């Protein structure tokens, strides 16, 4: 005779993990029952010995600290905020290749010093807004920005070419 609570349900038949969870739950209900008069069945005793010896103590939830990341500024159109693209490589087990993924993070730039193309290091911070959890720690490399020649320089160079041509 199967004790009450140990009967298998259709979900437990299809998913062995659910069956194990149901078995553990019903086992704990049987053991905690103070009105139990009969001794435990012999087929249950080896299971009890294994389950109680391998029990892990409860570990409190510990949040992992975020690491600093390095990325490239892709947008600085906001006030005191920049969007930084961070590339990461990971090994794909099935294809046995390294795959590149890009994540975009919004970061706080207090003095509006970052330009598009700058390489920056981001440090984690408390949430500053809905999407901003990072702060620009330092600018590692400034981008080279093309500056077209001014109008004065263009006039001077055109007069030089005219004098050389004549």
């Amino acid at each position: 005779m199967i004790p009450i609570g140990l009967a298998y349900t259709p979900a437990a038949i299809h998913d062995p993990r659910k069956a194990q969870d149901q078995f553990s739950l019903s086992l704990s209900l049987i053991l905690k029952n103070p009105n139990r008069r009969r001794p435990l069945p012999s087929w249950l005793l080896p299971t009890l010995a294994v389950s109680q010896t391998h029990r892990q103590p409860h570990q409190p939830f510990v949040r992992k600290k975020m690491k600093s990341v390095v990325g490239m500024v892709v947008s600085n159109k906001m006030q005191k905020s920049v969007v930084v693209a961070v590339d990461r490589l990971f090994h794909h087990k099935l294809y046995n290749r390294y795959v590149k993924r890009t994540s975009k993070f919004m970061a706080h730039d207090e003095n509006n010093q970052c330009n598009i193309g700058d390489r920056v290091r981001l440090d984690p911070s408390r949430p500053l807004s809905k999407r901003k959890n990072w702060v620009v720690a330092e600018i590692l490399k400034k981008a080279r920005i093309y500056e077209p020649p001014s109008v004065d320089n263009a006039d001077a160079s055109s007069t030089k070419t005219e004098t050389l041509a004549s």
Side-chain angles (χ1 to χ4, degrees):
M1 180 175 160
I2 298 176
I4 297 173
L6 285 182
Y8 289 105
T9 60
I13 293 170
H14 297 299
D15 190 3
R17 287 177 294 179
K18 287 186 179 178
Q20 182 64 32
D21 291 345
Q22 272 191 335
F23 180 74
S24 305
L25 178 66
S26 50
L27 183 65
S28 63
L29 292 175
I30 291 171
L31 294 176
K32 291 179 183 175
N33 185 359
N35 300 327
R36 182 170 179 78
R37 294 186 188 146
R38 282 184 280 162
L40 290 171
S42 59
W43 58 269
L44 194 58
L45 292 175
T47 310
L48 283 176
V50 170
S51 64
Q52 289 179 352
T53 55
H54 293 295
R55 178 175 283 180
Q56 296 292 328
H58 175 69
Q59 295 290 329
F61 177 74
V62 178
R63 176 167 276 205
K64 289 184 179 179
K65 295 282 262 178
M66 294 194 311
K67 296 180 183 176
S68 296
V69 293
V70 176
M72 192 79 68
V73 176
V74 253
S75 172
N76 64 346
K77 295 182 179 180
M78 298 161 281
Q79 298 173 6
K80 297 190 176 187
S81 297
V82 289
V83 178
V84 179
V86 176
D87 293 334
R88 62 187 171 88
L89 285 175
F90 68 93
H91 188 260
H92 199 289
K93 292 177 183 174
L94 181 64
Y95 299 134
N96 198 20
R97 297 278 187 274
Y98 281 94
V99 183
K100 184 165 116 177
R101 290 280 184 264
T102 303
S103 303
K104 287 184 181 180
F105 298 120
M106 284 186 60
H108 184 68
D109 180 21
E110 182 64 39
N111 301 324
N112 285 329
Q113 294 175 339
C114 295
N115 286 321
I116 295 176
D118 289 351
R119 193 155 183 76
V120 295
R121 183 171 60 86
L122 302 180
D123 283 342
S125 73
R126 63 179 176 83
L128 299 171
S129 69
K130 182 179 178 180
R131 292 185 56 216
K132 268 175 40 174
N133 296 328
W134 300 89
V135 174
V136 175
E138 64 176 314
I139 300 173
L140 301 173
K141 185 177 179 185
K142 295 290 275 181
R144 290 174 33 192
I145 301 172
Y146 173 73
E147 295 177 9
S150 62
V151 178
D152 298 333
N153 293 342
D155 291 339
S157 63
S158 64
T159 56
K160 279 185 181 179
T161 55
E162 290 173 5
T163 55
L164 291 174
S166 59

